Amino acid sequence: MQARVARQQARGLCTTLATRSSADTPRTNELDIVMLAPKLRRAVFKQAGAGATREQIRISIEHLKAQGIYGKQGEPVAISDFEPPALLGDSIEEHFRNLGELAAHPYLRMAEEFARADDSSFPQMPEAAQWRMQSGWTRYADGGASR
């Protein structure tokens, strides 16, 4: 594999993102790393990338070598060319930000309501002399009474 990468770099093919592709062979990049299936790639990356530069490939090789995985064959990956759901935004980053906001919205709304609440709606804190010093939970009611 290292010889293959060296030949590609020597011939100036470093900017080619997909080095092979067929219906039953996963698409790989210059470093022989399996890439996303075509339908999934189009959904995640709406615009085609410009390709990797020689410098980006050099840095990638350094990182892979530092991790001890450069030149190693990975596990075979099944091609999963399914139709993904539409993104909730214009990019994958925006999609996950929007998902997070949707999940957090009810709690954010409650926190904002709590922050705007009038102090008079909270129970009064008991005086220090009324505190129960015992293990476990103590519930204080309005007026400082404890249960």
Side-chain angles (χ1 to χ4, degrees), residues 91-108:
S91 67
I92 194 75
E93 179 181 359
E94 192 174 311
H95 170 77
F96 282 106
R97 183 184 326 270
N98 289 336
L99 279 177
E101 287 178 6
L102 284 171
H105 180 74
Y107 304 101
L108 177 61

Side-chain angles (χ1 to χ4, degrees), residues 19-68:
T19 58
R20 71 175 187 226
S21 178
S22 74
D24 56 350
T25 304
R27 191 173 67 89
T28 60
N29 67 3
E30 295 89 345
L31 301 175
D32 211 25
I33 296 172
V34 175
M35 306 299 283
L36 294 175
K39 287 181 186 174
L40 188 56
R41 182 172 184 266
R42 281 191 300 274
V44 172
F45 303 106
K46 304 234 183 219
Q47 299 175 14
T53 65
R54 284 192 169 111
E55 179 64 10
Q56 290 169 328
I57 291 173
R58 184 191 65 73
I59 291 169
S60 298
I61 290 171
E62 284 178 17
H63 285 282
L64 292 171
K65 283 180 178 178
Q67 297 300 318

Side-chain angles (χ1 to χ4, degrees), residues 17 26 44-45 51 59 81 84-85 88 97 105 112 131 134:
L17 280 177
V44 172
F45 303 106
I59 291 169
D81 201 16
L88 298 176
R97 183 184 326 270
H105 180 74
E112 288 170 343
W131 288 11
Q134 64 187 35

Side-chain angles (χ1 to χ4, degrees), residues 78-145:
I79 299 173
S80 300
D81 201 16
F82 63 93
E83 194 66 47
L87 292 180
L88 298 176
D90 292 331
S91 67
I92 194 75
E93 179 181 359
E94 192 174 311
H95 170 77
F96 282 106
R97 183 184 326 270
N98 289 336
L99 279 177
E101 287 178 6
L102 284 171
H105 180 74
Y107 304 101
L108 177 61
R109 187 178 43 79
M110 287 187 279
E112 288 170 343
E113 286 175 13
F114 182 76
R116 284 191 302 269
D118 183 10
D119 287 346
S120 66
S121 64
F122 298 127
Q124 289 288 58
M125 185 170 172
E127 297 295 323
Q130 294 175 304
W131 288 11
R132 274 209 179 149
M133 299 303 209
Q134 64 187 35
S135 62
W137 291 92
T138 303
R139 181 177 174 185
Y140 294 95
D142 285 337

